[in-house]
């Protein structure tokens, strides 16, 4: 199971990113555990300066915008 973290303040873009990742994972039958992380300290520990950001298995794979469906599929 892939561990996915969506880093952000809890803004609408962060919520949309988490929902989109869950939807794409379900469509592709990929088991994922999606968590939202809102702690500024934790977000900064990943070196991310703009959100939403996506971390998969502790690697930052995207930041600064809502990823598109095709990009999310490439992560799985």
């Amino acid at each position: 199971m892939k561990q996915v973290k969506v880093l952000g303040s809890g803004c609408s873009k962060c919520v949309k990113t988490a929902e989109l990742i869950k939807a794409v994972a379900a469509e592709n039958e990929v088991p994922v555990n999606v968590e939202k992380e809102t702690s500024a300290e934790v977000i900064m520990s990943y070196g991310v300066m703009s959100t939403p950001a996506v971390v998969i298995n502790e690697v930052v794979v995207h930041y600064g915008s809502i990823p598109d469906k095709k990009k999310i599929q490439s992560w799985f």
Side-chain angles (χ1 to χ4, degrees):
M1 176 176 287
K2 292 193 181 266
Q3 299 297 318
V4 179
K5 292 181 185 174
V6 176
L7 310 179
S9 62
C11 66
S12 62
K13 288 182 180 179
C14 302
V15 172
K16 177 83 175 173
T17 297
E19 290 173 352
L20 194 56
I21 291 169
K22 288 178 185 175
V24 171
E27 285 176 14
N28 292 282
E29 298 180 4
V30 176
V32 295
N33 181 29
V34 179
E35 300 174 20
K36 287 187 262 179
E37 181 58 61
T38 58
S39 166
E41 281 185 16
V42 173
I43 293 169
M44 295 298 285
S45 74
Y46 285 99
V48 172
M49 299 303 285
S50 63
T51 59
V54 180
V55 177
I56 297 179
N57 294 337
E58 297 303 315
V59 176
V60 177
V61 295
H62 182 84
Y63 60 90
S65 64
I66 298 173
D68 63 32
K69 191 174 179 178
K70 192 171 187 173
K71 186 165 191 173
I72 295 171
Q73 286 174 329
S74 74
W75 299 334
F76 301 138

